[in-house]
Amino acid sequence: TTLSVIVEPPLAQCSAWYELFPRSCSAHPHTHGTFKDCMAWLPRIAAMGFDIVYLPPIHPIGSSFRKGKNNRLKATRKDPGSPWAIGSNEGGHTSIHPLLGTEEEFEALVDTAKECGMQIAMDLAFQCSPDHPYIKEHPDWFSYLPDGTIKHAENPPKKYEDIVPFNFDTDHYMALWQELLHICLYWIDKGIRCFRVDNPHTKPFAFWQWLIERVKEKYPEVIFLSEAFTRPKVMDWLAKIGFSQSYTYFTWRYTKKELIKYVSEITEKEVSEYFRPNFWPNTPDILPYDLQYYGQPAFMTRLILAATLSSNYGVYGPPFEQMVRDATGDVEEYANAEKYEIKFWDHSRPNSICDLMTKLNTIRRLHEALQKTNNITFYETGNSQLLYYTKSGPELLLIVVNLDPVHTQSARIPVPYESEQSYRVHELLEDHHYIWEEKTVEVTIDPRVLPARIYKILTPLARETKFEYYM
C-alpha cells in the first residue's frame, strides 16, 4: 500500500485571518477603493496581530443580471455588483477590476503585506458571470436549460441570476481542469500563497485532489481554506483530499452544551488527524443573532471563543471591529451588505474590539498552548453560562468565558494543577497577577466589562514568599 503525506506550512496550523473588500478601503466616502488604498490599511492590520489578509474576488464584475443594493434583482448604474459575479468584457479570472488598479499595484500590495509579516489570501471562486469570456470561448463548460438559456446558480431558496456555475460533467472536463489549475498558478506567480475557496463542496472531490496535489508539488507552502458550510462528512472529505483548513459550524454554536459537543467532535476523534477548523464569528453573508441582539458583550465573547478554542480563526474585519449589528429583517444577514455596495470605514471611531483583537493576537503569539486546537480539555463549573476549558502545552492556560451577554456570572472552578504549596497565576487579558492556594477558586465575570479570563499557571512559590493579595 502506498500512502501519500501532505506536509503543511506552520501557518496552516495557527493563523489569524482578517477579511476586507479592497473597493471599500478608500479614505474618502463615496469613492471606489484601490490596491493603493488597501496598502495603507496593512500596517494597522499587522499591528493588530493578524497573519492573513483575505480579499474577496478582485476580478472584473459582470453587468448582466447584476444585483443591486441588499441583493435586489435590479441594479442601478451606481451599483458595483457582487465581486463573486466574475467576468466581463474587461476579462475574467486572471484579470483585475480596472478600478482597483494594475497587476503591478497588486504585486506591490502582496509585497507590502509580506514586509508587514502577513500574507494576502485570494478568493478562488470557480464560477462566472453571464458576461465572462469563457462563456463564448468555451460554451461546452456550462449547462443549459431546455429553452437554450444558460443555467444560473441556485442554493434553494436563494437564486443567483448573476452567477453561472461550471459544468464539471462536461465531456471536455480535462480542459476545464487545466484552465482552473492555470488560474491558481497564475496568482501564485504573483506572490499569492493563501487561497480561500468558495463553495468547494459543489465541485467534484477528484478535481480538488488533482488540483491541490499539482499545486503542492511545486508550492508546498500554499494554504487552501475550504468555505464549505455543508454536511460534516463532506467537510471531512475535503480535508482528507488536501484542504489545509475549513470553515466550521462554530458560527451557530452558542450554548455551553453546543460548544462542548461541537469542539469535542472535531478534536477528540479521528477527524482531528486531518481536519483543521477555522472559527469565524461573522462573514459577509452571516451576521449571527447574538451579535445582532446583544452588541459589544456578544462581539467580545465570540472573538475570545474563536481565538482560544481554535488555533485558526478569522473575522470579517471592519464590521466586526466597529460592531455593526444592523440586520435585514429576522435573518442572519447584514443590512446594506458590503457584498453589493461600497462602504466607507472610519478607523478614527473609538471602539474597544480593535484593542481586544490586538491583545488576543499578542497572547496567541506568545503562548504555544493557543497555537494548537486539539490540546483542549473541558471542565464542569456548575453554572450553565460559564464555559471553562484548558489549553495545554509548555504552559497551562485556564480559560473561563461567560456566555451570558447580560448578567454577571460566578462559579468555583477546579484547578488541574498539582502543587503542595501556593502558586502564582497571571491573568493575561487584564494583566493581573494572583496567588492561588486552593484546588478550586471563585471566578466572577461581568460580560459588560470583559466576558472572559485567561489564566496562566506560573511556578510554585517558596513558602516564605509574601504577596499583597490572594485569590
Side-chain angles (χ1 to χ4, degrees):
T1 301
T2 301
L3 299 177
S4 61
V5 176
I6 297 176
V7 180
E8 297 278 16
L11 205 57
Q13 177 175 281
C14 180
S15 59
W17 294 58
Y18 186 101
E19 179 177 1
L20 62 84
F21 286 69
R23 70 187 188 185
S24 295
C25 288
S26 175
H28 307 286
H30 313 297
T31 304
H32 196 292
T34 66
F35 292 140
K36 289 183 178 180
D37 294 323
C38 186
M39 207 179 302
W41 283 40
L42 296 182
R44 178 178 172 276
I45 297 171
M48 286 193 288
F50 287 93
D51 307 296
I52 299 173
V53 178
Y54 155 50
L55 313 180
I58 59 170
H59 315 297
I61 298 171
S63 56
S64 295
F65 302 101
R66 175 176 289 189
K67 295 296 185 72
K69 184 174 181 176
N70 285 319
N71 200 22
R72 292 173 186 154
L73 292 180
K74 290 187 178 181
T76 69
R77 294 179 63 183
K78 294 182 179 180
D79 288 321
S82 166
W84 282 271
I86 298 170
S88 72
N89 58 5
E90 295 166 325
H93 283 74
T94 55
S95 300
I96 289 173
H97 195 297
L99 292 181
L100 289 175
T102 65
E103 278 193 6
E104 291 74 18
E105 289 166 342
F106 176 75
E107 292 182 59
L109 174 68
V110 174
D111 291 339
T112 301
K114 290 178 181 178
E115 291 168 5
C116 292
M118 301 185 297
Q119 294 281 344
I120 294 292
M122 281 189 66
D123 196 289
L124 271 189
F126 286 154
Q127 59 200 31
C128 302
S129 88
D131 305 321
H132 199 294
Y134 286 155
I135 292 177
K136 289 184 178 179
E137 296 169 359
H138 302 281
D140 49 296
W141 289 356
F142 303 93
S143 298
Y144 300 85
L145 299 175
D147 63 1
T149 58
I150 198 163
K151 185 177 181 180
H152 61 71
E154 293 187 36
N155 183 17
K158 295 182 179 180
K159 295 184 178 181
Y160 301 94
E161 295 88 349
D162 58 336
I163 292 173
V164 176
F166 287 111
N167 173 22
F168 280 85
D169 291 328
T170 175
D171 292 337
H172 304 282
Y173 73 92
M174 187 47 66
L176 172 60
W177 288 21
Q178 291 287 357
E179 179 63 16
L180 300 182
L181 174 61
H182 166 70
I183 292 169
C184 262
L185 297 177
Y186 181 88
W187 294 110
I188 289 173
D189 187 57
K190 304 299 179 187
I192 294 298
R193 293 297 182 271
C194 301
F195 292 100
R196 179 268 199 189
V197 182
D198 191 69
N199 287 322
H201 57 292
T202 61
K203 288 82 177 173
F205 289 160
F207 161 71
W208 288 120
Q209 186 169 9
W210 175 88
L211 181 141
I212 292 172
E213 285 179 355
R214 276 151 186 78
V215 168
K216 285 191 168 285
E217 282 174 4
K218 296 182 66 176
Y219 304 98
E221 70 276 19
V222 171
I223 290 172
F224 291 92
L225 168 61
S226 164
E227 188 255 358
F229 295 116
T230 184
R231 300 187 307 278
K233 287 186 177 179
V234 175
M235 297 166 72
D236 292 351
W237 269 107
L238 289 167
K240 283 185 177 181
I241 62 177
F243 277 90
S244 313
Q245 301 174 6
S246 176
Y247 282 67
T248 67
Y249 297 131
F250 163 75
T251 315
W252 299 280
R253 299 297 183 264
Y254 302 122
T255 68
K256 178 177 177 177
K257 182 177 179 180
E258 290 172 341
L259 286 164
I260 292 175
K261 182 176 185 292
Y262 182 62
V263 174
S264 298
E265 285 175 355
I266 60 177
T267 59
E268 295 180 357
K269 300 179 181 179
E270 179 189 347
V271 66
S272 66
E273 298 180 8
Y274 52 82
F275 184 85
R276 290 191 193 89
N278 194 320
F279 282 7
W280 290 68
N282 72 326
T283 76
D285 291 306
I286 306 166
L287 175 61
Y289 290 123
D290 59 337
L291 301 184
Q292 295 179 32
Y293 299 153
Y294 297 112
Q296 181 168 320
F299 278 87
M300 291 193 294
T301 299
R302 297 303 288 182
L303 176 66
I304 293 169
L305 288 170
T308 59
L309 286 170
S310 174
S311 59
N312 294 298
Y313 88 101
V315 291
Y316 167 35
F320 197 89
E321 278 189 69
Q322 299 189 12
M323 293 177 284
V324 175
R325 50 192 289 202
D326 299 328
T328 301
D330 189 26
V331 294
E332 293 182 306
E333 296 179 4
Y334 283 93
N336 306 316
E338 194 171 6
K339 282 181 65 175
Y340 307 106
E341 61 180 271
I342 296 171
K343 295 287 188 180
F344 170 69
W345 300 108
D346 182 2
H347 297 309
S348 66
R349 291 178 55 187
N351 70 76
S352 60
I353 292 296
C354 173
D355 294 338
L356 183 58
M357 286 177 173
T358 305
K359 172 68 76 172
L360 279 167
N361 286 333
T362 300
I363 292 172
R364 281 163 51 92
R365 288 186 174 182
L366 292 176
H367 296 88
E368 190 176 328
L370 293 175
Q371 296 168 19
K372 298 178 181 178
T373 299
N374 301 334
N375 57 339
I376 190 168
T377 303
F378 290 99
Y379 292 86
E380 185 49 61
T381 63
N383 184 328
S384 63
Q385 296 298 329
L386 285 183
L387 180 68
Y388 171 38
Y389 49 99
T390 63
K391 300 297 287 284
S392 58
E395 69 270 288
L396 179 65
L397 300 184
L398 284 58
I399 303 165
V400 188
V401 183
N402 183 358
L403 302 177
D404 183 343
V406 178
H407 303 101
T408 298
Q409 298 288 343
S410 300
R412 290 196 69 83
I413 64 168
V415 182
Y417 179 70
E418 296 296 329
S419 176
E420 297 299 323
Q421 58 199 62
S422 303
Y423 51 95
R424 296 181 296 156
V425 178
H426 182 195
E427 201 291 307
L428 302 176
L429 288 174
E430 293 186 308
D431 194 23
H432 290 168
H433 289 79
Y434 303 95
I435 297 173
W436 287 355
E437 294 182 317
E438 302 179 27
K439 298 301 181 184
T440 64
V441 294
E442 183 80 14
V443 176
T444 300
I445 300 178
D446 182 347
R448 296 162 295 182
V449 179
L450 190 64
R453 302 286 185 271
I454 302 177
Y455 299 107
K456 178 181 178 180
I457 302 294
L458 302 176
T459 56
L461 293 168
R463 294 190 181 279
E464 66 274 11
T465 303
K466 294 182 179 180
F467 279 77
E468 295 181 357
Y469 52 90
Y470 293 81
M471 182 175 180

